[in-house]
Amino acid sequence: MSPTIDPTTGQLRAPEVPQRSLSDHSAPEKTLDRVLRIGTDFLPLVLLALLVLGTTWLVRSMPADDSGRAAPPSDKPDYYLNNFQIRSYDAAGVLRAEIAGDHGDHIPKGDLLRASGIRSYHLSEDGEVTRASANTGVADRQAETVELQGQVRVTRGPLDGGNQPQLQFESDTLHILEGGKRLETNQPVRLTHGPQVTVQGTGMQYQHGQQTVNVQGRVQATFEAARPATQQP
């Protein structure tokens, strides 16, 4: 806009500049203030959410603490034995089981005794005694379960003996179960019942409860008649 001359005074008049209302800039300023205020109000919640997410990720990424959890029993020996005997008695003081050996060790897993030159003894509730010996073997403390290897010899009979002949089993491998109520082997075995009965086979299962012996393979049996007792003059 160009300057004009006042006809009354003859003076040069500057052009008038239109004035703008300050309200033209108020809307953008109020919107910005509102955004800043809202952001300030929610900032603590946003920081708290980020802190929770970060803590959760940190906990999940940390390794589990197993210090309070009991370790499973090891299958490696935790102590060793020499010329040992381990005996178990009942409340009346009667010897119920014994494991002996020249050298041995204890396996925590299963609480087993592993021995060379092993010898075992077990007295059942019905008075039957099972005795065993072998080059090596693994047994529990009560001699309920015994695995024998090498020159195995197992005998069974009543505690008081009497006139009843004992059962004897000889093999290279034999497994005693239930304290001698069951005997098993899949190797050649020789069974004798006193001096009159001898049975040989390539495997065997003995069941005391059923009073049976099952011998497998090529079975050879010898039965000798009992000799009459000689009369004294």
Side-chain angles (χ1 to χ4, degrees), residues 1-133:
M1 181 178 293
S2 58
T4 59
I5 299 175
D6 189 351
T8 306
T9 61
Q11 295 179 355
L12 184 64
R13 183 183 299 172
E16 295 182 359
V17 178
Q19 295 181 358
R20 293 183 179 180
S21 175
L22 294 177
S23 61
D24 295 343
H25 298 281
S26 61
E29 292 175 355
K30 289 182 178 180
T31 302
L32 180 60
D33 292 341
R34 188 180 299 109
V35 172
L36 291 176
R37 186 178 67 256
I38 293 173
T40 304
D41 293 340
F42 284 94
L43 181 60
L45 296 177
V46 174
L47 294 178
L48 180 60
L50 293 176
L51 180 61
V52 171
L53 292 175
T55 304
T56 303
W57 173 83
L58 182 61
V59 171
R60 291 182 177 180
S61 61
M62 291 179 62
D65 184 12
D66 296 333
S67 58
R69 186 181 303 174
S74 174
D75 56 358
K76 297 182 179 180
D78 56 353
Y79 62 82
Y80 299 88
L81 304 164
N82 289 311
N83 298 320
F84 66 93
Q85 290 180 333
I86 299 177
R87 295 177 175 178
S88 299
Y89 297 86
D90 62 13
V94 177
L95 178 64
R96 288 292 178 180
E98 178 182 275
I99 299 294
D102 299 334
H103 307 283
D105 51 41
H106 175 257
I107 306 299
K109 187 176 182 179
D111 191 20
L112 300 176
L113 294 168
R114 184 172 55 187
S116 60
I118 188 171
R119 301 172 299 279
S120 69
Y121 169 94
H122 183 274
L123 174 62
S124 64
E125 295 296 334
D126 59 0
E128 289 286 324
V129 175
T130 302
R131 293 181 173 88
S133 63

Side-chain angles (χ1 to χ4, degrees), residues 82-199:
N82 289 311
N83 298 320
F84 66 93
Q85 290 180 333
I86 299 177
R87 295 177 175 178
S88 299
Y89 297 86
D90 62 13
V94 177
L95 178 64
R96 288 292 178 180
E98 178 182 275
I99 299 294
D102 299 334
H103 307 283
D105 51 41
H106 175 257
I107 306 299
K109 187 176 182 179
D111 191 20
L112 300 176
L113 294 168
R114 184 172 55 187
S116 60
I118 188 171
R119 301 172 299 279
S120 69
Y121 169 94
H122 183 274
L123 174 62
S124 64
E125 295 296 334
D126 59 0
E128 289 286 324
V129 175
T130 302
R131 293 181 173 88
S133 63
N135 292 344
T136 61
V138 179
D140 60 21
R141 291 179 179 269
Q142 304 301 323
E144 288 281 346
T145 302
V146 186
E147 297 182 12
L148 301 167
Q149 300 281 340
Q151 297 183 343
V152 179
R153 176 175 293 179
V154 178
T155 60
R156 275 187 59 85
L159 178 63
D160 55 5
N163 296 325
Q164 183 178 353
Q166 288 190 334
L167 278 171
Q168 180 171 283
F169 306 85
E170 296 175 281
S171 180
D172 192 58
T173 300
L174 197 141
H175 196 180
I176 300 175
L177 301 167
E178 301 178 21
K181 293 181 180 180
R182 292 169 50 205
L183 304 175
E184 296 180 354
T185 181
N186 58 3
Q187 299 296 316
V189 61
R190 183 174 184 265
L191 164 66
T192 58
H193 188 217
Q196 286 80 33
V197 180
T198 302
V199 181

